Amino acid sequence: MKRLVVGAHYGLRDWLAQRITAVVMAAYTVVLAAVFLNNSPLAYNAWKDLFAQGWMRVATLLFAVSLVWHAWVGVRDILMDYVKPDGLRLTLQVATLLLLAACLGWTVQILWR
């Protein structure tokens, strides 16, 4: 008997995405903690100088992209598991995507403005 597997087949890819994005966010947190420990307390000028450096902007953008991807996978899985009406689930997923895209766009604007 051949087993028929149906569904979106997100399992391994999403599990791996959650782990990779978590590692990226943890690494950024360690870097930020090191900056705090070496430069405490950080005044406005210190923050401005820190984020004027290209590597910090790129690291922060990588953190933000990881956070958005991590959040999307988690929220999408929750919505697929617990919201049964298709129309409501699709509406909530689109709203989530729009909110996450707006937050990521705002992050880019803040970092490179």
Side-chain angles (χ1 to χ4, degrees), residues 17-72:
Q18 288 287 88
R19 274 44 183 194
I20 291 170
T21 56
V23 167
V24 169
M25 291 185 292
Y28 181 83
T29 303
V30 168
V31 169
L32 205 56
V35 168
F36 284 152
L37 291 175
N38 290 331
N39 299 317
S40 189
L42 285 178
Y44 173 76
N45 288 333
W47 278 105
K48 188 175 177 183
D49 292 341
L50 177 64
F51 281 91
Q53 300 175 46
W55 71 268
M56 189 61 179
R57 286 182 180 182
V58 171
T60 302
L61 182 61
L62 185 59
F63 173 84
V65 169
S66 295
L67 180 64
V68 165
W69 192 358
H70 195 92
W72 167 243

Side-chain angles (χ1 to χ4, degrees), residues 68-91:
V68 165
W69 192 358
H70 195 92
W72 167 243
V73 171
V75 170
R76 191 203 63 220
D77 286 351
I78 290 169
L79 292 174
M80 286 192 312
D81 287 347
Y82 296 108
V83 178
K84 297 304 176 191
D86 293 337
L88 177 60
R89 183 173 58 238
L90 179 61
T91 301

Side-chain angles (χ1 to χ4, degrees), residues 5-11 13-14 76 80:
V5 179
V6 296
H9 308 291
Y10 294 124
R13 184 186 71 194
D14 288 343
R76 191 203 63 220
M80 286 192 312

